[in-house]
């Protein structure tokens, strides 16, 4: 609301829409994750669709990294790191200059930026668009580069 003296939150399940690839690399990521999703279907997952949250989330960092690792044939990199710790390991690796980790974070952040642009067009937030959640504060140095 223009002229409002307070913030207005738009609660939603914003990560549930299908992930829309915007370039060839994101399309390859989506195909890779779609294959993973089909594997999950056999383990009880409800859908084989790749959703935004599969890419833009803490676990999305892990998924992007597994894709980058697969694409480069670097299967041994972080193979000893538990899935629950992989996102943090990738973030630290990116800070330390590891190119695979940086590529994975760039994929995730590119998708985040794309969704933020779409949200800005969708909602026309005249007072700004704020990111909430646990991932953004941890990746602030990388977000500032975007």
């Amino acid at each position: 609301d223009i002229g409002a003296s307070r913030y207005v939150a738009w609660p939603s399940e914003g990560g549930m829409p299908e992930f829309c690839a915007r370039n060839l690399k994101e399309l390859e990521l989506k195909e890779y994750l779609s294959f993973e999703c089909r594997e999950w279907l056999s383990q009880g997952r409800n859908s084989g669709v790749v959703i935004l949250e599969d890419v833009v989330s803490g676990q999305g960092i892990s998924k992007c990294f597994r894709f980058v690792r697969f694409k480069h044939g670097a299967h041994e990199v972080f193979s000893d790191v538990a899935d629950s710790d992989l996102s943090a390991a990738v973030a630290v690796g990116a800070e330390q200059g590891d190119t695979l980790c940086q590529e994975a974070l760039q994929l995730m952040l590119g998708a985040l930026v794309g969704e933020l642009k779409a949200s800005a067009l969708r909602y026309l937030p005249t007072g700004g668009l704020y990111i909430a959640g646990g991932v953004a504060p941890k990746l602030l140095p990388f977000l500032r580069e975007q």
Side-chain angles (χ1 to χ4, degrees):
D1 185 11
I2 297 174
S5 61
R6 60 187 176 87
Y7 294 110
V8 178
W10 291 82
S12 72
E13 284 295 328
M16 296 300 118
E18 184 172 355
F19 170 63
C20 295
R22 298 168 299 127
N23 55 49
L24 181 59
K25 191 173 223 172
E26 287 183 359
L27 183 59
E28 291 172 346
L29 171 65
K30 186 173 182 174
E31 289 172 355
Y32 175 84
L33 292 177
S34 181
F35 177 77
E36 269 195 0
C37 288
R38 286 192 297 275
E39 284 185 358
W40 297 330
L41 278 173
S42 65
Q43 301 168 8
R45 184 171 168 151
N46 294 330
S47 171
V49 173
V50 178
I51 60 173
L52 188 61
E53 192 172 71
D54 287 328
V55 179
V56 180
S57 66
Q59 287 302 310
I61 295 170
S62 298
K63 292 173 183 181
C64 288
F65 181 77
R66 285 197 302 270
F67 163 71
V68 168
R69 183 173 61 186
F70 171 80
K71 188 170 170 73
H72 290 281
H75 305 288
E76 73 288 347
V77 178
F78 288 153
S79 61
D80 58 335
V81 176
D83 260 2
S84 59
D85 299 328
L86 188 54
S87 296
V90 171
V92 169
E95 285 178 19
Q96 295 174 349
D98 182 272
T99 56
L100 294 177
C101 294
Q102 289 175 339
E103 185 177 341
L105 272 185
Q106 288 304 318
L107 264 173
M108 189 280 260
L109 292 172
L112 172 61
V113 168
E115 179 57 24
L116 291 173
K117 288 177 183 178
S119 293
L121 288 172
R122 190 176 302 120
Y123 299 113
L124 299 174
T126 57
L129 184 63
Y130 296 86
I131 306 170
V135 174
K138 295 172 186 161
L139 300 178
L140 205 49
F142 300 101
L143 285 169
R144 286 189 174 126
E145 291 174 13
Q146 298 290 314

